[in-house]
């Protein structure tokens, strides 16, 4: 029985950076949470504690702040790509970098005043490898959607433990976690210091709109059907996206039985349950999507 | 050494009720979390386990659902008042009821589709006593505000443990918890089943606007000054409010020292800290405010 | 309509201090979260932003660390008292200090190795006033207890919304939040720098034991009865405690209906529910307890 | 651009089951949170909403409860395996099942009384496939460990953003998330209804002991070295384990600078930071470990 080192990575998680841009009186704000994970030839540090290949996670944190100053933060995908390339290009022992960013949205309330606009979070994960490949996955978390009608669930398989009655009109609610892979990874041929060649901000807004519209506009026979409709809407509408992955908890809203009190409940009063919940996960791809590589790791 | 029973109350916490109203094609939605606390002559149940005075918390939960059906939920303050009166009026042993409600906001995305609009929560606490008095406190939680400039902090007291340098331009950020006491408690002279005589919805929107505007518009020499400005704005603008209580965590944004990297940091790159944080709490009252009674309990 | 300043306080919340004591090879560890709230003559800072009476919350944080070095941390009540007195005694504008501490427990796993032993937290709140009075409340949070039998609930009041069947054998579970007020406040006549005259550590262990034993040993007809038994056990057993306040959520465990599957469920399979939950709150006092003053604020 | 369905799965998450076993006066308790994820031929439900292949997640929940009654819950790995096999064997459309369980530990406080013993959670993930293969991964979360000395970090790579000074004596603290893959998957040749052929409970205790002992006993030059020592200790000591995966956040404890107050800080007073934190992830394998299959999914 001989122990050997398997896959490994290390880095600094949750570096909270707020970048203010001052255009005269009117300020702009970017509020991010950055995670860095580096991997490469890390055998020595694990086996003997020899740190000569280990760039401290503290330095990674410093790099986030210094790059925020030097390059600004426009789109999180761009900023993640800059960081990922930097670590791979500047550290001999590092062969691969994964940079993930969460962005918190603020709405303007004055020339230099802002209010956090939502519990929703924009996300990205960028991988960059020594071989020059880059993958970019964008996403969102905490988009909570609900339809008060237009959802059914019946005709399902039954077994000896099935007691669920069929439903022809139910509330359908979920908290969307969506991630989408970009077809043409911002390709690396341009200098990382040039302006972005691709509008990740517009792409984000349009994908988000597709997801919401498909949820709201699909008469649903199951949450799986809605999931597929949401993913397909994105893949078929947005040429820059080749794959969407969705995790949709079925946030059950149970009709309260009011009959003991002599009352009907014609789909008016619901109990919003916490646990357990259904969880539907799935991917929708362009049939010509290239191999994902490490994009989803 | 003889043990005696002191103040006590009991009830059902966190009854999650979603009320759908169907006006033809277009649906409306109210999403609430209701807490009930009852008190009265509860000596026997504590001392001997005699439950004859104890209305089960399960019945309280049922009442929330039945009332949501019967009366609908328009303004949470109205719904809380209905419930509080019901328990006091119908249960001989109950002398006092406290009903608290959190409301989660949704924005319309279609005739019967909605998206949760924010991490912000609207709140209320209503007390109703056997003697007929009612107090109504409205509020909000999770309103996160930030000014990128217009905030200073200097001229403070110093002791042997003081190392903080004076600041003439800092980020000021907070997550507002605000509660405000209504001057004219919806008075009880009208039947609880009639329509509300007072527009709590409009009041909420206006108080919220006052808080945001005062935060954004105050050139701040300290968070205490901002707190007072926010409370005073409400008390002086809204005749229906006689007292505001605010809890404002100072969500510190520390300027990152970039000098080791040969960079200036002219108020552009900040580290958003979690803990520890300053916490400023205070009340602002109309000088003619009536006694609060149990309003803040 | 004139706005005036009402009650207010300010301070540094959640200063996380870990104090290591090195007795040769064997180390000891105290892990605390300290909150400071100061009040006094703070009119100017609120009305005009004049900070001359405001000791920065940053200095309060520094004081926590400096005192941890200078005095060590033995019992959290002692450490809180030292801090509270310091702020009142050294700052002319401060008339009253409230210091709260949470302590996280670690168990030894080697001469200098430790494992967090529990989700349970030991707490205290100490008030010290310019008039020399000190109050000390100790407590705990997150003590989760469960009896699989020995709990009933029947004979309760019924109304038109009551559907709960009587129970003669149910699971009773709760997460105890307990706070207890000390009779003889460590009195202030001794120098704050001398060793403690009172063993808060032993008191804590004994009160905790009383709470657990009373929960486990009481055949319960209602959670209120159990609450009273827990509080009375402490008050009647521990002469140093004059009042106990308990908040006991009724963490409902519902018997699952297995009859659709042809199975009995003789109190064997339960669904552990999250929300809603009953919440029972109450105080038990020594009938000769002195006035509480600000102890519970 | 044609959308196609990619990998997908669905199931019921977070079914909270508490199983009481009554051996006369003395009761035993198992407290679990069960997640089920099923996959197979689910094309129709996604594309057309045809639910004929979809066993409702509600039925999955019912199965958890019915199996808890019928089979009891001894070791969570056994219970997960029973469930996984059941879904694959009984549902024609289901080709693969993943069952994950969290178990919460209770310590006895009386014949039928218990206290939650820790914030630590025991976990498992079992995969079962139509081809008869089963994989079993056991684990734990929330094991928080700390060494007050015996940890160094120096000799690391440096770049232009490196400011970290070398450390020869630091606090090392982490919250262990560990998962380990069993070499001989309880093999499937025995009836799922027979008693377990393998003592998962003893294995769990021994692996946990290895992890703690290796953390406490390793003089650490980096957290990576400690991670490897923890994994290797398990792989080399426990023949039933062929791979360990660890995620170790470096819960930084920063020495507080007390020099402004004229004090030394000889590794006595620390600030326990929340964010950012280092995150070290890695696997340690037996060099003869078989292919993992879906074990880690």
């Amino acid at each position: 029985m001989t122990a050997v080192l398997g896959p490994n990575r290390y880095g600094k998680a949750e570096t909270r950076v707020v970048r203010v841009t001052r255009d005269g009186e009117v300020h702009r704000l970017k509020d991010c949470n950055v995670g860095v994970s580096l991997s490469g030839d890390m055998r020595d540090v694990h086996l003997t504690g020899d740190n000569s290949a280990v760039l401290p996670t503290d330095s990674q944190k410093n790099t986030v702040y210094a790059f925020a100053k030097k390059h600004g933060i426009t789109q999180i995908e761009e900023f993640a790509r800059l960081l990922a390339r930097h670590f791979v290009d500047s550290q001999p022992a590092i062969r691969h970098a994964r940079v993930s960013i969460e962005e918190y949205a603020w709405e303007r309330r004055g020339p230099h005043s802002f209010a956090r606009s939502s519990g929703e979070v924009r996300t990205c994960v960028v991988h960059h490898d020594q071989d020059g490949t880059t993958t970019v996955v964008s996403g969102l978390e905490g988009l909570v959607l609900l339809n008060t009608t237009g959802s059914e669930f019946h005709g399902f398989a039954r077994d000896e433990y099935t007691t669920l009655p069929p439903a022809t009109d139910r509330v359908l609610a979920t908290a969307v976690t969506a991630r989408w892979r970009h077809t043409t990874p911002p390709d690396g041929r341009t200098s990382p210091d040039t302006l972005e060649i691709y509008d990740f901000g517009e792409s984000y807004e349009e994908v988000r709109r597709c997801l919401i519209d498909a949820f709201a506009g699909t008469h649903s026979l199951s949450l799986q059907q809605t999931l597929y409709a949401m993913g397909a809407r994105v893949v078929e509408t947005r040429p820059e996206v080749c794959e969407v992955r969705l995790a949709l908890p079925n946030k059950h809203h149970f009709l309260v039985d009011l009959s003991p009190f002599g009352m009907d409940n014609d789909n008016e009063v619901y109990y919003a349950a916490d646990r357990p919940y259904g969880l539907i996960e799935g991917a929708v791809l362009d049939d010509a999507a290239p191999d994902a590589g490490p994009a989803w790791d």
Side-chain angles (χ1 to χ4, degrees), chain A residues 255-266 269:
Chain A
L255 210 55
V256 179
D257 177 10
L258 300 174
S259 62
F261 322 125
M263 295 174 176
D264 292 331
N265 186 359
D266 188 18
V269 180

Side-chain angles (χ1 to χ4, degrees), chain A residues 170-218:
Chain A
R170 62 173 186 173
V171 165
L172 187 69
T174 191
V176 180
T177 298
R179 295 176 297 156
W180 51 93
R181 177 158 63 101
H182 291 278
T183 303
T184 307
D187 64 13
R189 283 169 303 190
T190 56
S191 155
D193 297 83
T194 59
L195 292 177
E196 64 272 19
I197 53 168
Y198 181 93
D199 191 339
F200 283 105
E202 184 196 346
S203 176
Y204 178 81
E205 292 304 333
E206 291 302 320
V207 171
R208 184 175 181 275
R209 184 195 319 269
C210 286
L211 294 170
I212 295 173
D213 288 353
F215 180 88
T218 300

Side-chain angles (χ1 to χ4, degrees), chain A residues 2-267:
Chain A
T2 306
V4 294
L5 180 66
N8 61 86
R9 60 186 186 183
Y10 85 105
K12 190 67 114 192
E14 301 212 35
T15 294
R16 294 279 289 105
V17 56
V18 174
R19 178 62 158 91
V20 175
T21 307
R22 295 161 172 250
D23 298 336
E25 279 298 292
V26 178
H27 293 190
R28 286 179 293 120
L29 185 69
K30 294 291 270 193
D31 182 2
C32 297
N33 194 16
V34 180
V36 174
S37 269
L38 307 180
S39 45
D41 186 3
M42 293 292 153
R43 201 169 171 279
D44 286 355
V45 63
H46 286 88
L47 269 58
T48 70
D50 175 347
N51 292 308
S52 56
V54 179
L55 183 72
T57 65
D58 187 74
S59 305
Q60 300 169 28
K61 176 200 71 181
N62 288 345
T63 308
V64 171
Y65 290 122
F67 273 44
K69 165 65 183 178
K70 191 173 171 185
H71 303 287
I73 305 177
T74 48
Q75 300 301 326
I76 54 174
E77 292 86 353
E78 290 293 321
F79 191 64
R81 192 173 56 161
L82 275 177
L83 287 164
R85 283 176 173 168
H86 166 78
F87 292 117
V88 171
D89 292 351
S90 64
Q91 285 296 311
I94 302 302
R95 299 192 186 130
H96 190 93
R98 176 193 193 271
V99 178
S100 60
I101 304 184
E102 296 183 335
E103 181 181 356
Y104 313 113
W106 295 81
E107 64 183 45
R108 182 172 298 283
R109 303 293 309 204
H112 50 258
S113 298
F114 302 87
R116 266 288 286 276
S117 50
S118 164
E120 199 181 316
V121 175
R122 178 176 166 184
T123 66
C124 76
V125 176
V126 171
H127 285 268
H128 183 69
D129 198 271
Q130 210 174 20
D131 68 10
T133 59
T134 303
T135 63
V136 180
V137 168
S138 299
L140 58 77
E141 293 178 14
L143 170 62
V144 183
L145 300 174
L146 184 149
N147 288 335
T148 52
T149 188
S151 169
E152 315 183 28
F153 187 57
H154 47 74
F156 40 75
R158 306 187 70 87
D159 68 2
E160 63 184 302
Y161 302 112
T162 299
T163 57
L164 187 76
T168 55
D169 190 359
R170 62 173 186 173
V171 165
L172 187 69
T174 191
V176 180
T177 298
R179 295 176 297 156
W180 51 93
R181 177 158 63 101
H182 291 278
T183 303
T184 307
D187 64 13
R189 283 169 303 190
T190 56
S191 155
D193 297 83
T194 59
L195 292 177
E196 64 272 19
I197 53 168
Y198 181 93
D199 191 339
F200 283 105
E202 184 196 346
S203 176
Y204 178 81
E205 292 304 333
E206 291 302 320
V207 171
R208 184 175 181 275
R209 184 195 319 269
C210 286
L211 294 170
I212 295 173
D213 288 353
F215 180 88
T218 300
H219 185 95
S220 175
L221 300 175
S222 71
L223 186 48
Q224 281 92 330
Q225 188 190 21
T226 296
L227 179 149
Y228 186 80
M230 294 167 74
R233 180 77 59 96
V234 175
V235 167
E236 291 171 353
T237 308
R238 303 300 308 170
E240 76 274 22
V241 176
C242 64
E243 183 176 4
V244 180
R245 294 199 174 177
L246 292 159
L248 301 184
N250 193 341
K251 297 172 74 77
H252 304 303
H253 285 65
F254 296 116
L255 210 55
V256 179
D257 177 10
L258 300 174
S259 62
F261 322 125
M263 295 174 176
D264 292 331
N265 186 359
D266 188 18
N267 291 337

Side-chain angles (χ1 to χ4, degrees), chain A residues 266-284:
Chain A
D266 188 18
N267 291 337
E268 291 181 304
V269 180
Y270 293 90
Y271 161 54
D274 296 307
R275 296 194 294 185
Y277 53 90
L279 180 58
I280 315 297
E281 301 168 280
V284 182

